Amino acid sequence: QVQLVESGGGLVQTGGSLRLSCAVSGRTISTNAMGWFRQAPGKDREFVAAISWSGNTNYADSVKGRFTISRDKAKNTVYLQMNSLKPEDTAVYYCATNPSRYSGSYYLTSEYDYWGQGTQVTVSS
């Protein structure tokens, strides 16, 4: 059974930083693509970042240059380092695992088959 557990969310002021973690069990992150998404109240879930099995990364334009996705294969954990946070980054953040090594449509929620429960990130102005 595949399980994903996010942690690291919280309340931070504008310009601050947070690092989210996603611990994965039941699937090896080194052989599967992984993604981070977020959902603000009243909005659709949107793509944030993705990392392929080979380590290639992709980012939404809104977070490029501020967020970094990475992974620790030994811990089977994926991270999202978030710097220079803005109030518009406020959302519940979800990690997800893709059944494939790489997906050309990494930005689509339909490409991912297992999701974590989410962790709240709130950025105050």
Side-chain angles (χ1 to χ4, degrees):
Q1 183 178 2
V2 179
Q3 290 187 322
L4 294 80
V5 179
E6 301 102 333
S7 61
L11 174 64
V12 64
Q13 291 185 334
T14 296
S17 298
L18 283 174
R19 189 178 81 154
L20 306 183
S21 299
C22 175
V24 183
S25 60
R27 179 172 285 175
T28 304
I29 64 171
S30 59
T31 58
N32 292 87
M34 298 290 299
W36 283 98
F37 289 75
R38 66 187 182 187
Q39 188 167 19
K43 295 188 176 181
D44 292 336
R45 193 168 297 188
E46 66 175 6
F47 169 74
V48 176
I51 185 167
S52 73
W53 72 277
S54 62
N56 290 330
T57 58
N58 289 280
Y59 298 93
D61 287 343
S62 60
V63 306
K64 202 170 292 184
R66 300 188 298 121
F67 290 11
T68 303
I69 187 171
S70 64
R71 61 186 180 176
D72 185 328
K73 296 178 185 180
K75 295 183 178 180
N76 215 39
T77 298
V78 179
Y79 303 98
L80 185 69
Q81 178 66 44
M82 307 185 295
N83 299 329
S84 303
L85 283 161
K86 306 175 181 180
E88 50 264 43
D89 295 318
T90 295
V92 177
Y93 284 71
Y94 299 89
C95 68
T97 177
N98 192 306
S100 303
R101 289 190 168 193
Y102 170 78
S103 170
S105 301
Y106 52 82
Y107 49 89
L108 296 177
T109 58
S110 58
E111 290 291 300
Y112 300 83
D113 57 352
Y114 288 95
W115 294 78
Q117 81 287 351
T119 185
Q120 176 71 47
V121 171
T122 303
V123 185
S124 63
S125 57

